[in-house]
Amino acid sequence: AQRVTQPEKLLSVFKGAPVELKCNYSYSGSPELFWYVQYSRQRLQLLLRHISRESIKGFTADLNKGETSFHLKKPFAQEEDSAMYYCALSGFRWGNQGGKLIFGQGTELSVKP
Amino acid sequence: NAGVTQTPKFRVLKTGQSMTLLCAQDMNHEYMYWYRQDPGMGLRLIHYSVGEGTTAKGEVPDGYNVSRLKKQNFLLGLESAAPSQTSVYFCASSYGLGNEQFFGPGTRLTVL
């Protein structure tokens, strides 16, 4: 079964410190992985996806198929990065009816001044 | 463009009451989704639709029904609300397989 695990409910760091939000997945095929972010009182929005290999707001994420991980990293955290972060998996592009996403439990990132 | 909109934003129901949540999108997306968000559970898919007139069950469909009579609208119904349905409900839409999902602002529902 497909599953996404975010082991940390809360991650608290100081401004300027490196950040790594962990995401592990369980899927037998070729996954598509995403990070969504939800700032306080705002809607979820896409932060980045592994196939685009972009760096958004200083965040990067690399898909490691050997470790089945897609950790989100940023070298220097900013206070405005404080938000809830969700890792999501979309499996089997050609067979997934409706492009369904499976979300992890979410990690709340708190960046302190 | 308004993107994805949801009505109402807040609602309090008594156990056994019914209600309908409306989701509308103006991006001409084929696919639409209803999720519920609960603390420690992330987002879980309730129902989804791959086009006008189609619906399918997601991960947690029990107690909910949906309809997609028009491409731009996706309705979520609760026939007999239960306290376990207290949650924040998000609607989303996407252009197609593997594409970014765009989310609405959410509806906070409390069932007493």
Coordinates of all heavy atoms in Angstrom, one line a residue, chain A residues 4-13 19-24 34-40 44 47 59 70-73 81-88 103-111, chain B residues 37-43:
Chain A
V4 N 2.8 7.7 3.1 CA 3.8 8.7 3.3 C 3.9 9.0 4.8 O 2.9 9.2 5.5 CB 3.3 10.0 2.6 CG1 4.3 11.2 2.8 CG2 3.2 9.8 1.1
T5 N 5.1 9.0 5.2 CA 5.4 9.2 6.7 C 6.3 10.4 6.9 O 7.3 10.6 6.3 CB 6.1 8.0 7.3 OG1 5.3 6.8 7.0 CG2 6.3 8.2 8.8
Q6 N 5.8 11.3 7.7 CA 6.6 12.5 8.2 C 6.8 12.3 9.7 O 5.8 12.5 10.4 CB 5.8 13.8 7.9 CG 5.7 14.1 6.4 CD 5.0 15.3 6.1 OE1 3.8 15.3 5.6 NE2 5.6 16.5 6.4
P7 N 7.9 11.9 10.1 CA 8.1 11.4 11.5 C 8.0 12.5 12.5 O 7.8 12.3 13.7 CB 9.5 10.8 11.5 CG 10.2 11.4 10.3 CD 9.1 11.7 9.3
E8 N 8.2 13.8 12.1 CA 8.2 14.9 13.1 C 6.9 15.7 13.0 O 6.6 16.2 11.9 CB 9.4 15.8 12.8 CG 10.8 15.1 12.9 CD 11.7 15.6 11.8 OE1 11.3 15.9 10.7 OE2 12.9 15.6 12.1
K9 N 6.2 15.8 14.1 CA 5.0 16.7 14.1 C 5.4 18.1 14.2 O 4.8 19.0 13.6 CB 4.2 16.3 15.3 CG 3.4 15.0 15.2 CD 2.4 14.9 16.4 CE 1.6 13.6 16.2 NZ 0.7 13.4 17.3
L10 N 6.5 18.4 14.9 CA 6.9 19.8 15.1 C 8.4 19.8 15.0 O 9.1 19.0 15.6 CB 6.5 20.3 16.5 CG 7.0 21.6 16.9 CD1 6.4 22.7 16.0 CD2 6.6 21.9 18.4
L11 N 8.9 20.8 14.3 CA 10.3 21.1 14.2 C 10.6 22.5 14.5 O 10.0 23.4 13.8 CB 10.8 20.7 12.7 CG 12.3 20.8 12.5 CD1 13.1 19.9 13.4 CD2 12.6 20.6 11.0
S12 N 11.4 22.8 15.5 CA 11.6 24.1 15.9 C 13.1 24.5 15.7 O 13.9 23.7 16.3 CB 11.2 24.3 17.4 OG 11.3 25.6 17.8
V13 N 13.4 25.5 15.0 CA 14.8 25.9 14.8 C 14.9 27.4 15.0 O 13.9 28.2 15.0 CB 15.3 25.5 13.4 CG1 15.2 24.1 13.1 CG2 14.5 26.3 12.3
V19 N 17.6 23.6 8.0 CA 16.3 22.9 8.2 C 16.3 21.7 7.3 O 16.6 21.7 6.1 CB 15.1 23.8 7.9 CG1 13.8 23.0 7.9 CG2 15.0 25.0 8.9
E20 N 15.8 20.6 7.9 CA 15.5 19.4 7.1 C 14.2 18.8 7.6 O 14.1 18.4 8.8 CB 16.6 18.4 7.2 CG 16.3 17.1 6.4 CD 17.5 16.1 6.4 OE1 17.7 15.5 7.4 OE2 18.2 16.0 5.4
L21 N 13.2 18.8 6.8 CA 11.9 18.1 7.1 C 11.9 16.8 6.4 O 12.1 16.7 5.2 CB 10.8 19.0 6.6 CG 10.5 20.3 7.4 CD1 11.4 21.4 7.0 CD2 9.0 20.7 7.2
K22 N 11.7 15.7 7.2 CA 11.9 14.4 6.7 C 10.5 13.9 6.1 O 9.4 14.2 6.6 CB 12.3 13.4 7.8 CG 13.8 13.7 8.2 CD 14.2 12.7 9.2 CE 15.7 12.7 9.4 NZ 16.3 14.1 9.7
C23 N 10.7 13.1 5.0 CA 9.6 12.5 4.4 C 10.0 11.1 3.8 O 11.0 11.1 3.1 CB 9.0 13.3 3.2 SG 7.8 12.5 2.2
N24 N 9.4 10.1 4.2 CA 9.6 8.7 3.7 C 8.3 8.2 3.1 O 7.2 8.5 3.6 CB 10.1 7.8 4.8 CG 11.5 8.2 5.3 OD1 11.7 8.9 6.2 ND2 12.5 7.6 4.6
F34 N 5.7 15.4 -3.9 CA 5.5 16.9 -3.8 C 5.7 17.3 -2.4 O 5.5 16.6 -1.5 CB 4.0 17.2 -4.2 CG 3.6 16.7 -5.6 CD1 3.2 15.3 -5.7 CD2 3.5 17.5 -6.7 CE1 2.8 14.9 -7.0 CE2 3.1 17.0 -7.9 CZ 2.8 15.7 -8.0
W35 N 6.0 18.6 -2.2 CA 5.9 19.3 -0.9 C 4.9 20.4 -1.1 O 5.0 21.2 -2.0 CB 7.2 19.8 -0.5 CG 8.1 18.8 0.2 CD1 9.1 18.1 -0.4 CD2 8.0 18.4 1.5 NE1 9.7 17.3 0.6 CE2 9.0 17.4 1.7 CE3 7.2 18.7 2.6 CZ2 9.2 16.8 3.0 CZ3 7.4 18.1 3.8 CH2 8.4 17.1 4.0
Y36 N 3.9 20.4 -0.2 CA 2.9 21.4 -0.1 C 3.1 22.2 1.2 O 3.5 21.6 2.2 CB 1.4 20.9 -0.1 CG 0.9 20.6 -1.5 CD1 1.3 19.4 -2.1 CD2 0.1 21.4 -2.2 CE1 0.8 19.0 -3.4 CE2 -0.3 21.1 -3.5 CZ 0.0 19.9 -4.1 OH -0.4 19.6 -5.3
V37 N 2.8 23.5 1.2 CA 3.0 24.3 2.4 C 1.7 25.0 2.7 O 0.9 25.4 1.8 CB 4.1 25.3 2.2 CG1 3.9 26.2 1.1 CG2 4.4 26.1 3.5
Q38 N 1.4 25.1 4.0 CA 0.2 25.9 4.4 C 0.6 26.9 5.5 O 1.0 26.5 6.6 CB -0.8 24.9 5.0 CG -2.1 25.6 5.4 CD -3.1 24.6 5.9 OE1 -2.8 23.5 6.5 NE2 -4.4 24.9 5.8
Y39 N 0.7 28.1 5.1 CA 1.0 29.2 6.0 C -0.2 29.5 6.9 O -1.4 29.2 6.5 CB 1.5 30.5 5.3 CG 2.7 30.3 4.5 CD1 2.6 30.1 3.1 CD2 3.9 30.2 5.1 CE1 3.8 29.9 2.3 CE2 5.1 30.0 4.3 CZ 5.0 29.8 3.0 OH 6.1 29.6 2.2
S40 N 0.0 30.1 8.0 CA -1.1 30.3 8.9 C -2.3 31.0 8.3 O -2.2 32.0 7.6 CB -0.6 31.2 10.1 OG -1.6 31.5 11.0
L44 N -3.5 25.6 1.3 CA -2.3 24.8 0.9 C -1.9 25.2 -0.5 O -2.7 25.5 -1.4 CB -2.7 23.3 0.8 CG -2.5 22.5 2.1 CD1 -3.8 22.6 2.9 CD2 -2.3 21.0 1.7
L47 N 4.7 23.7 -3.0 CA 6.0 24.4 -2.8 C 7.0 23.9 -3.9 O 7.6 24.7 -4.6 CB 6.6 24.0 -1.4 CG 7.9 24.6 -1.0 CD1 7.9 26.1 -1.0 CD2 8.4 24.0 0.3
F59 N 14.2 26.4 -0.7 CA 14.0 25.0 -0.4 C 14.4 24.1 -1.6 O 14.1 24.4 -2.7 CB 12.6 24.7 0.0 CG 12.2 25.2 1.4 CD1 11.5 26.4 1.5 CD2 12.4 24.5 2.5 CE1 11.2 26.9 2.8 CE2 12.1 24.9 3.8 CZ 11.4 26.1 3.9
F70 N 12.2 11.7 0.5 CA 12.1 13.0 -0.2 C 12.2 14.1 0.8 O 11.2 14.8 1.0 CB 10.8 13.0 -1.0 CG 10.6 14.1 -2.0 CD1 11.6 14.4 -2.9 CD2 9.5 15.0 -1.9 CE1 11.4 15.4 -3.8 CE2 9.4 16.0 -2.8 CZ 10.3 16.2 -3.8
H71 N 13.3 14.2 1.4 CA 13.4 15.2 2.5 C 13.5 16.6 2.0 O 14.2 16.9 0.9 CB 14.7 14.9 3.4 CG 14.7 13.6 4.0 ND1 13.5 12.9 4.4 CD2 15.7 12.7 4.2 CE1 13.8 11.7 4.8 NE2 15.2 11.6 4.8
L72 N 12.9 17.6 2.7 CA 12.9 19.0 2.3 C 14.0 19.7 3.1 O 14.1 19.6 4.3 CB 11.6 19.6 2.6 CG 11.3 21.1 2.1 CD1 11.3 21.2 0.6 CD2 10.0 21.6 2.7
K73 N 14.8 20.5 2.4 CA 16.0 21.1 3.0 C 16.1 22.6 2.7 O 15.7 23.0 1.6 CB 17.3 20.4 2.6 CG 17.4 19.0 2.9 CD 18.7 18.4 2.4 CE 18.7 16.9 2.7 NZ 19.9 16.2 2.2
D81 N 9.4 31.3 7.1 CA 9.2 29.9 6.7 C 8.3 29.1 7.6 O 8.0 27.9 7.4 CB 10.6 29.2 6.6 CG 11.5 29.7 5.6 OD1 11.0 30.2 4.5 OD2 12.7 29.7 5.8
S82 N 8.0 29.7 8.7 CA 7.1 29.0 9.7 C 5.8 28.7 9.1 O 5.1 29.6 8.6 CB 6.9 29.9 10.9 OG 8.1 30.2 11.6
A83 N 5.4 27.4 9.1 CA 4.2 27.0 8.4 C 4.1 25.5 8.7 O 5.0 24.8 9.3 CB 4.3 27.2 6.9
M84 N 3.0 24.9 8.1 CA 2.8 23.5 8.1 C 3.2 23.0 6.8 O 2.8 23.5 5.7 CB 1.3 23.1 8.4 CG 1.1 21.6 8.5 SD 1.7 20.8 9.9 CE 0.5 21.3 11.1
Y85 N 4.0 21.9 6.8 CA 4.5 21.3 5.5 C 4.0 19.9 5.4 O 4.1 19.1 6.3 CB 6.1 21.4 5.5 CG 6.7 22.8 5.4 CD1 6.7 23.6 6.5 CD2 7.1 23.3 4.2 CE1 7.3 24.9 6.5 CE2 7.6 24.6 4.1 CZ 7.7 25.3 5.3 OH 8.2 26.6 5.2
Y86 N 3.5 19.6 4.2 CA 3.0 18.3 3.9 C 3.8 17.7 2.7 O 3.9 18.3 1.6 CB 1.5 18.4 3.5 CG 0.6 18.7 4.6 CD1 0.2 20.0 4.8 CD2 0.2 17.7 5.5 CE1 -0.7 20.3 5.9 CE2 -0.7 18.0 6.6 CZ -1.1 19.3 6.7 OH -2.0 19.7 7.8
C87 N 4.2 16.5 2.9 CA 4.8 15.7 1.8 C 3.6 14.9 1.2 O 2.8 14.4 1.9 CB 5.9 14.8 2.4 SG 6.7 13.8 1.2
A88 N 3.6 14.8 -0.1 CA 2.5 14.0 -0.8 C 3.1 13.2 -1.9 O 4.1 13.5 -2.6 CB 1.5 15.0 -1.3
F103 N -1.2 12.1 1.3 CA -0.5 13.0 2.1 C 0.1 12.4 3.4 O -0.4 11.5 3.9 CB -1.4 14.2 2.6 CG -1.7 15.2 1.5 CD1 -2.8 15.0 0.6 CD2 -0.9 16.3 1.4 CE1 -3.1 15.9 -0.4 CE2 -1.2 17.3 0.4 CZ -2.3 17.0 -0.5
G104 N 1.3 12.9 3.8 CA 1.8 12.6 5.1 C 1.0 13.4 6.2 O 0.1 14.2 5.9
Q105 N 1.4 13.1 7.4 CA 0.7 13.7 8.5 C 1.0 15.2 8.7 O 0.3 15.9 9.5 CB 1.0 13.0 9.8 CG 0.7 11.5 9.8 CD 2.0 10.7 9.3 OE1 2.7 11.1 8.5 NE2 2.1 9.5 9.9
G106 N 2.1 15.7 8.1 CA 2.4 17.1 8.2 C 3.5 17.3 9.3 O 3.5 16.7 10.3
T107 N 4.3 18.3 9.0 CA 5.3 18.8 10.0 C 5.1 20.3 10.2 O 5.2 21.0 9.2 CB 6.7 18.5 9.6 OG1 6.9 17.0 9.5 CG2 7.7 19.0 10.6
E108 N 5.0 20.7 11.4 CA 4.9 22.1 11.7 C 6.3 22.7 11.9 O 7.0 22.2 12.8 CB 4.0 22.4 12.9 CG 3.9 23.9 13.2 CD 3.0 24.2 14.4 OE1 2.4 23.2 14.9 OE2 2.9 25.4 14.8
L109 N 6.7 23.6 11.1 CA 8.0 24.2 11.2 C 7.8 25.6 11.9 O 7.1 26.4 11.5 CB 8.7 24.4 9.8 CG 10.0 25.2 9.9 CD1 11.1 24.4 10.6 CD2 10.5 25.5 8.4
S110 N 8.6 25.7 13.0 CA 8.6 27.0 13.7 C 10.0 27.5 13.7 O 10.9 26.9 14.2 CB 8.1 26.7 15.2 OG 8.2 27.9 15.9
V111 N 10.2 28.7 13.1 CA 11.5 29.4 13.1 C 11.5 30.5 14.0 O 10.7 31.5 13.9 CB 11.8 29.9 11.6 CG1 13.2 30.5 11.6 CG2 11.7 28.7 10.7
Chain B
Q37 N -9.1 17.5 6.7 CA -7.8 17.7 7.4 C -8.1 17.6 8.9 O -8.8 18.4 9.5 CB -7.2 19.1 7.1 CG -5.9 19.4 7.7 CD -5.4 20.8 7.5 OE1 -6.2 21.7 7.6 NE2 -4.2 21.0 7.2
D38 N -7.4 16.7 9.6 CA -7.5 16.4 11.0 C -6.2 16.5 11.7 O -5.2 16.0 11.0 CB -8.2 15.1 11.3 CG -9.6 15.0 10.7 OD1 -10.5 15.8 11.1 OD2 -9.8 14.3 9.7
P39 N -6.0 17.0 12.9 CA -4.7 17.0 13.5 C -4.1 15.6 13.6 O -4.7 14.7 14.0 CB -5.1 17.5 14.9 CG -6.4 18.3 14.8 CD -7.1 17.5 13.7
G40 N -2.8 15.6 13.2 CA -2.0 14.4 13.3 C -2.4 13.4 12.2 O -1.8 12.3 12.1
M41 N -3.3 13.7 11.3 CA -3.7 12.8 10.3 C -3.4 13.3 8.9 O -3.6 12.6 7.9 CB -5.3 12.5 10.3 CG -5.8 12.1 11.7 SD -5.3 10.4 12.0 CE -6.4 9.5 11.0
G42 N -3.0 14.5 8.8 CA -2.7 15.1 7.4 C -4.0 15.3 6.7 O -5.1 15.5 7.3
L43 N -4.0 15.2 5.4 CA -5.2 15.3 4.6 C -5.5 14.0 4.0 O -4.7 13.2 3.5 CB -4.9 16.3 3.4 CG -5.1 17.8 3.6 CD1 -3.8 18.3 4.3 CD2 -5.3 18.5 2.3

